[in-house]
Amino acid sequence: MNQTITVDEQLSEEISDASLQRSLARSRQIEEDISTHPGRYRILTGDRPTGRLHIGHYFGSLANRVRFQNLGVHTMLVVADYQVIYDRDGVGQLQENVLSGLADYLACGIDPEQSTIFTHSSVTALNQLLLPFLSLVTVPELQRNPTVKDELSNNPHRPMSGLMLTFPVHQAADILFCKANLVPVGKDQLPHIEVARVIARRFDERYGRGQAGDPIFPQPDALMSPAPAILGLDGTKMSKSRGNTIEIGMTADETAKLIKRAKTDSERQITFDPVNRPEVSNLVQLAALATGGEPQQIADELGDAGGGGLKKLVTEALNEHFAPIRARRAELAADPDHLRSVLREGNAKATAIAEQTLAEVRQAMQMAY
Ligand code: TRP
């Protein structure tokens, strides 16, 4: 039977406002349910190991992952090493970035007994899912993906790699191989979750079900982080390539130096007003996140302390919050053999899961011989 893809379920270009609102509402619902029913959820999330993890990663996602893990949710963490090469010509300091990110995870509280940390390049059966999955999306759909489109418009003279075009499908394999039903992500990743949902649905429609008659893949939900977006020290998006980040693994002195150079304004009275005073408010927000306080109250307490007083407070708050994490991180980083063994164990666990799923896929597709 030749099933064509109907128009209304085609992958669209942008995530509409309505669908963003739906994701936010759904996220709030899940947040409420998850602490009473952690067993209903399997989380998959992860990072591209392109550099060092910074406090934006920490407050934006890492702290949240630790919270879910500690609630008892089965959590899978992908170190997306193949994603490093979708938009660059070499692997760079890949090995170093992977081990450093792993040290960050563990130092921040990810427990490899409760969470599975794996590099997707090591999980062969996961990668094999890419083949049937590629049959389920069209080239125009992939060309409409916002990340793919950004790459095209940012580098109009650089021909795009096949991996760049298809990485959202590979990312769907990251999510679906372990039948994750929850993916905690930022807004920029929503279109990728949509790809995974569509692939799960189309697989079910075209290739069939598992032995018990249930769909093989669940349609995963995005879980939008409740954390406010954190800006870099220059007031623009926090990103390694802009040199405006504070890395989790930096020393207290390095942190102090960077905050000293952070952008503020000349007004002495400190207020929390993200729209009109984004840089000052961002520092207030960081102090709030690091101390567990409320931004408004912190601003009130600082009063007319000026940029200097604000920076002093943020520096102390961050350094105090990260001191135990940094101490653990230093110990972990000094033992790369241990870090590699954590990865090998994670990879073995992920491989067992992936092989089971691939067996079901082969069965459904009449490819089990
Ligand atoms: N693309 C994600 C990022 O840039 C990393 C990632 C890879 C991921 N595979 C994933 C995130 C699966 C969530 C689910 O950060």
Side-chain angles (χ1 to χ4, degrees):
M1 189 172 41
N2 181 17
Q3 284 169 329
T4 48
I5 296 165
T6 55
V7 175
D8 64 348
E9 67 151 19
Q10 270 187 26
L11 284 164
S12 62
E13 193 161 320
E14 300 293 344
I15 293 294
S16 67
D17 231 26
S19 115
L20 178 61
Q21 292 311 323
R22 258 200 314 280
S23 296
L24 284 169
R26 179 92 186 102
S27 296
R28 280 193 293 270
Q29 238 177 26
I30 293 169
E31 275 282 356
E32 274 173 30
D33 188 54
I34 205 166
S35 46
T36 33
H37 302 108
R40 285 185 185 162
Y41 298 94
R42 173 174 279 192
I43 283 180
L44 179 125
T45 185
D47 300 288
R48 291 172 77 193
T50 51
R52 291 178 163 254
L53 295 178
H54 53 66
I55 61 171
H57 295 119
Y58 177 81
F59 289 118
S61 61
L62 207 43
N64 223 15
R65 296 173 190 174
V66 174
R67 180 169 66 92
F68 292 132
Q69 166 197 278
N70 294 344
L71 282 173
V73 183
H74 188 130
T75 302
M76 311 279 300
L77 280 183
V78 59
V79 179
D81 49 0
Y82 271 139
Q83 276 197 13
V84 169
I85 46 172
Y86 70 49
D87 63 350
R88 47 197 88 197
D89 291 332
V91 292
Q93 301 294 327
L94 180 68
Q95 184 87 196
E96 197 180 304
N97 290 338
V98 169
L99 293 183
S100 145
L102 181 57
D104 287 325
Y105 285 173
L106 301 179
C108 290
I110 298 291
D111 172 4
E113 298 294 319
Q114 294 179 62
S115 298
T116 304
I117 312 170
F118 65 100
T119 41
H120 60 181
S121 68
S122 309
V123 184
T124 335
L126 178 162
N127 292 297
Q128 193 170 334
L129 291 177
L130 191 58
L131 288 168
F133 286 3
L134 280 170
S135 73
L136 298 170
V137 289
T138 67
V139 171
E141 281 179 320
L142 293 174
Q143 285 167 334
R144 283 198 292 269
N145 179 278
T147 309
V148 171
K149 271 185 36 182
D150 276 357
E151 170 72 12
L152 269 180
S153 57
N154 294 339
N155 304 292
H157 303 300
R158 192 177 124 125
M160 195 170 62
S161 75
L163 187 61
M164 180 81 215
L165 182 68
T166 55
F167 95 86
V169 185
H170 191 240
Q171 181 154 327
D174 289 341
I175 297 169
L176 297 177
F177 94 93
C178 61
K179 307 192 179 187
N181 56 3
L182 207 53
V183 191
V185 283
K187 200 173 136 200
D188 63 315
Q189 298 285 313
L190 281 181
H192 306 327
I193 311 298
E194 198 49 37
V195 175
R197 292 175 63 85
V198 161
I199 287 177
R201 203 155 64 222
R202 290 181 188 165
F203 188 96
D204 190 50
E205 286 161 5
R206 292 204 204 165
Y207 298 134
R209 302 200 154 180
Q211 251 148 13
D214 298 323
I216 293 179
F217 300 109
Q219 291 188 47
D221 278 306
L223 188 63
M224 311 281 288
S225 166
I230 294 163
L231 302 174
L233 297 173
D234 56 358
T236 69
K237 184 176 181 234
M238 186 176 276
S239 117
K240 181 184 157 62
S241 58
R242 296 173 199 250
N244 63 4
T245 67
I246 298 171
E247 293 164 10
I248 294 172
M250 273 176 176
T251 65
D253 281 350
E254 286 168 325
T255 305
K257 270 199 198 107
L258 283 168
I259 294 175
K260 230 177 220 144
R261 293 211 309 262
K263 196 168 161 193
T264 49
D265 55 33
S266 54
E267 207 174 309
R268 290 211 59 83
Q269 189 67 30
I270 301 302
T271 53
F272 182 63
D273 179 0
V275 175
N276 296 309
R277 298 179 80 190
E279 297 90 1
V280 165
S281 303
N282 187 53
L283 291 175
V284 173
Q285 180 68 263
L286 276 176
L289 287 166
T291 57
E294 286 302 320
Q296 194 61 61
Q297 197 184 341
I298 287 173
D300 290 347
E301 279 165 15
L302 280 164
D304 62 0
L310 170 60
K311 287 179 177 181
K312 184 163 173 287
L313 179 75
V314 178
T315 304
E316 282 167 7
L318 285 176
N319 281 341
E320 191 173 320
H321 183 88
F322 284 103
I325 292 175
R326 286 168 168 169
R328 274 198 300 276
R329 190 186 184 287
E331 278 173 35
L332 288 156
D335 191 354
D337 286 346
H338 169 68
L339 292 175
R340 281 199 197 85
S341 82
V342 168
L343 263 188
R344 275 197 299 271
E345 274 173 39
N347 287 338
K349 280 200 261 174
T351 296
I353 296 171
E355 281 174 354
Q356 168 65 33
T357 304
L358 184 61
E360 292 170 41
V361 163
R362 285 188 174 128
Q363 194 70 42
M365 296 181 77
Q366 305 176 44
M367 291 176 180
Y369 307 109

